[in-house]
Amino acid sequence: MSQIEYTNVMDTPNPSGSDAGLSGSSLLSDIDTPADLRLLELQDLPALAQELRDFLIDSVSKTGGHLAAGLGTVELTIALHYVFNTPDDRLVWDVGHQTYPHKILTGRRDALHTIRQSGGLCGFPTRDESEFDTFGVGHSSTSISAALGMAAAAAEQKISREVIAVIGDGAMSAGMAFEALNNGGELDANLLVILNDNEMSISSNVGGMSNYLARIMSGRTYSKARQGSKSILSRMGPMWKLAKRTEEHMKGMIMPGTLFEELGFNYIGPIDGHDINTLVKTLQNMQQLEGPRFLHVITRKGKGYAPAEADPCTYHGVSPFDIETGESIKPPSAVPGYSSIFGQWLCDMAEQDERLAGITPAMSEGSGMVEFSERFPDRYYDVGIAEQHAVTFAAGMAVDGMKPVVAIYSTFLQRAYDQLIHDVALQNLPVVFAIDRAGLVGADGPTHAGAFDLSFLRCIPNMTIMAPSDGNECRKMLTTAYGMETPAAVRYPRGSGPAVEIGPDLDQIEIGKANVRREGRHIAILAFGSMVHTALEAAEELNASVIDMRFVKPLDETLILKLALENDLLVTLEENTIKGGAGSAVAEFLAASQVVTPLLQLGLPDEFIEHGDTATLHAECGLDPAGVTKAIRNVLPANLARSTEYA
């Protein structure tokens, strides 16, 4: 592969034409806080932006992490911290993929090499990490609501402060964002919302004229004239209505802000998000205004790194890579991942049944749906970042004869819980939920962990829940779920499972039937999904029986009763919180059956598990073979503990 274009700031003339800050040391190395940043001259900022971009590329190439989004917000991040008095002024980021530049400028530059690693920096803003991280994020479309709450709190306490929410165009598509905008306009809150438009421009009016108009309309003269005419004309009834309509019409002709104006925001933009001079001057102007303000900024994901600009989706989240070639350093897994297995099953089933429809809330690539979208475009629905809508949309399709399959991450299904209960389960509709990223997700941390789905799903009537122990089981369970006429969920972890042969057939399994994987003595481990192979390793040392439970709901109650009568200890093992999970289901059944057999429940503890290497996190939670073995030995009945068989 030929080398890609990569330019280092030290090899490039100073864009400002000045040598300030570049003689002897870099600008970036002297910035430990935004207060240091604000000591720079405006003409130094383009050079700083280049340094920051180079530093980001170099660091992420070694650690992996989110890259393209951060590259697109370098200039915006600098401008925000340059203009506003952070952290006293509140800066709220949406999702957080774009915040690596923010972390670098707020005292965490020298720790960026630890990002997403055990004990290192979190990949998202978190309040425990820095006072500059004003609100913990990870899920989409929360920034405007949180910032509005902060603005309301400041108003109640009579604190003079700017509150700024930065949200992307994808996140803006979610209903929650518009709920917050509607409320913000109604409250007349002192709030600045910045739309970072980096994918699908609302308007093409970007360039010199647009930047000029934005600066004029954000300035004091225009604002005073606007407010003055509003004060006078508002007393004149029909004249005010005419003037208002005229203003909206004129704005609508040259810029796309009519919608936001109708919601009560003073819309400015769109402007070039990589023109740092325009950014700073526009923000300075808007800083002087009060009330709800909306700035529309156009940026480019992956800006400054050719491979990321060409393919921002691939470089959204990356493993360590070679800067010169753009190629990943990590060798690809020989075992297909669960997302890939789901994607292949989806295509195979779609060939067999034209009623199948595939639905995703903006996670096509991550969920393995790219091939399906290309082969069956008429039956592929990407509804955007709108999990609630995705679930009810699927329910509507199911009502009228389609067989919808909703591909969704466990952590994002939480956002559609009401719709899951009210619109799908209550009506007992045949919607299949392919739940990806169940259990711990490693570097993405607690905001993305699928730690609760078994707990919140199993309490819902009409719901069937399956957990595969490998890729072949996953394919069979998806087929089984699809064949049902009631709601069904198949939850599987991130990445790959054990190396097994995956058959091409669309076979089903018996509903509610577990599979005995190992015959032992005295101890029976009831393992669910990803924990089956951990149980098998532990069982070798303990001579325990291992059961691949397959189903969380309905349980194989006949087998559980048999095992309870034949063994001295039952152990449940799951990659879900212990509270209310699969083990709790077993305990409830035993109690209802009035069967008294010692039961040990192993799973994720009652706490949020931080980011890090997945294997390390499993070990820390006692969910590796050694941890499972130790936990079982600690509770063995006295007669077994003394046995040489378990010594």
Side-chain angles (χ1 to χ4, degrees), residues 94 109 130 156 388 396 412 489 599:
D94 210 280
R109 178 190 64 245
S130 171
E156 286 286 343
Q388 297 163 310
F412 299 139
L599 176 66

Side-chain angles (χ1 to χ4, degrees), residues 202-215:
I202 299 174
S203 170
S204 60
N205 295 324
V206 182
M209 179 58 73
S210 179
N211 290 343
Y212 173 74
L213 288 169
R215 287 167 58 181

Side-chain angles (χ1 to χ4, degrees), residues 383-442:
V383 302
I385 303 174
E387 294 87 358
Q388 297 163 310
H389 165 60
V391 173
T392 303
F393 176 69
M397 295 191 85
V399 164
D400 273 347
M402 296 294 287
K403 295 280 287 187
V405 179
V406 180
I408 193 166
Y409 290 8
S410 172
T411 185
F412 299 139
L413 183 58
Q414 297 165 183
R415 311 188 104 198
Y417 194 48
D418 177 66
Q419 289 70 26
L420 182 68
I421 297 172
H422 188 272
D423 298 335
V424 175
L426 181 61
Q427 302 184 87
N428 206 22
L429 295 172
V431 177
V432 175
F433 294 93
I435 304 175
D436 203 342
R437 272 59 168 186
L440 300 181
V441 292

Side-chain angles (χ1 to χ4, degrees), residues 14-61:
N14 185 353
S16 69
S18 169
D19 291 330
L22 291 176
S23 177
S25 65
S26 70
L27 294 169
L28 185 61
S29 64
D30 293 331
I31 296 173
D32 295 317
T33 70
D36 299 326
L37 169 65
R38 291 190 279 271
L39 296 175
L40 296 179
E41 299 294 331
L42 180 60
Q43 63 264 29
D44 292 325
L45 299 187
L48 174 64
Q50 185 62 58
E51 285 189 46
L52 179 53
R53 184 167 276 113
D54 290 342
F55 182 90
L56 179 60
I57 295 168
D58 181 70
S59 183
V60 176
S61 74

Side-chain angles (χ1 to χ4, degrees), residues 136-433:
V137 296
H139 285 193
S140 170
S141 315
T142 63
S143 59
I144 303 176
S145 296
L148 179 59
M150 294 176 184
E156 286 286 343
Q157 300 172 77
K158 298 184 170 39
I159 299 173
S160 179
R161 149 182 311 143
E162 290 288 339
V163 183
I164 307 100
V166 184
I167 186 169
D169 54 307
M172 183 62 80
S173 67
M176 184 176 179
F178 282 91
E179 291 172 11
L181 286 171
N182 184 60
N183 190 210
E186 183 69 24
L187 292 177
D188 197 31
N190 193 35
L191 171 68
L192 171 60
V193 175
I194 297 177
L195 172 59
N196 175 32
D197 187 353
N198 57 28
E199 185 90 30
M200 184 176 59
S201 296
I202 299 174
S203 170
S204 60
N205 295 324
V206 182
M209 179 58 73
S210 179
N211 290 343
Y212 173 74
L213 288 169
R215 287 167 58 181
I216 292 294
M217 299 181 74
S218 66
R220 288 185 175 182
T221 302
Y222 174 84
S223 179
K224 286 182 178 179
R226 184 175 186 266
Q227 293 301 317
S229 61
K230 179 179 178 180
S231 176
I232 297 171
L233 294 175
S234 61
R235 306 169 193 163
M236 302 173 63
M239 289 296 295
W240 163 242
K241 291 181 181 178
L242 176 62
K244 182 66 176 172
R245 284 199 299 269
T246 302
E247 181 190 36
E248 290 173 355
H249 178 69
M250 293 301 295
K251 275 193 168 184
M253 288 177 62
I254 58 175
M255 55 191 62
T258 304
L259 170 63
F260 305 109
E261 292 276 346
E262 289 290 338
L263 290 170
F265 282 72
N266 184 10
Y267 173 92
I268 306 297
I271 65 173
D272 184 353
H274 301 298
D275 183 340
I276 200 161
N277 291 320
T278 295
L279 278 171
V280 168
K281 292 173 182 177
T282 303
L283 289 171
Q284 287 173 335
N285 284 338
M286 299 189 78
Q287 189 182 31
Q288 306 304 312
L289 308 179
E290 295 183 351
R293 293 147 289 160
F294 193 102
L295 176 62
H296 183 176
V297 174
I298 304 294
T299 62
R300 181 167 184 162
K301 278 187 176 180
K303 175 71 173 179
Y305 185 56
E309 287 191 30
D311 189 3
C313 184
T314 297
Y315 285 85
H316 168 71
V318 295
S319 58
F321 63 94
D322 182 276
I323 293 177
E324 295 298 322
T325 65
E327 293 182 346
S328 175
I329 297 172
K330 181 181 178 182
S333 173
V335 181
Y338 282 100
S339 300
S340 175
I341 291 166
F342 164 73
Q344 186 59 58
W345 170 85
L346 193 66
C347 292
D348 293 346
M349 185 58 73
E351 287 183 342
Q352 298 293 317
D353 190 348
E354 61 184 13
R355 297 175 301 162
L356 184 148
I359 302 168
T360 175
M363 296 303 296
S364 177
E365 290 83 5
S367 296
M369 297 183 70
V370 173
E371 183 180 351
F372 176 82
S373 69
E374 295 169 348
R375 291 177 56 187
F376 304 95
D378 294 340
R379 288 188 275 162
Y380 168 73
Y381 298 90
D382 185 344
V383 302
I385 303 174
E387 294 87 358
Q388 297 163 310
H389 165 60
V391 173
T392 303
F393 176 69
M397 295 191 85
V399 164
D400 273 347
M402 296 294 287
K403 295 280 287 187
V405 179
V406 180
I408 193 166
Y409 290 8
S410 172
T411 185
F412 299 139
L413 183 58
Q414 297 165 183
R415 311 188 104 198
Y417 194 48
D418 177 66
Q419 289 70 26
L420 182 68
I421 297 172
H422 188 272
D423 298 335
V424 175
L426 181 61
Q427 302 184 87
N428 206 22
L429 295 172
V431 177
V432 175
F433 294 93

Side-chain angles (χ1 to χ4, degrees), residues 333-338 341 468-476 496-504 517 532-533 536 548:
S333 173
V335 181
Y338 282 100
I341 291 166
S469 57
D470 57 49
N472 196 47
E473 283 281 287
C474 184
R475 184 177 172 91
K476 291 179 179 179
S496 304
V500 298
E501 184 178 352
I502 301 171
R517 297 289 298 272
V532 169
H533 287 266
L536 287 168
D548 179 354

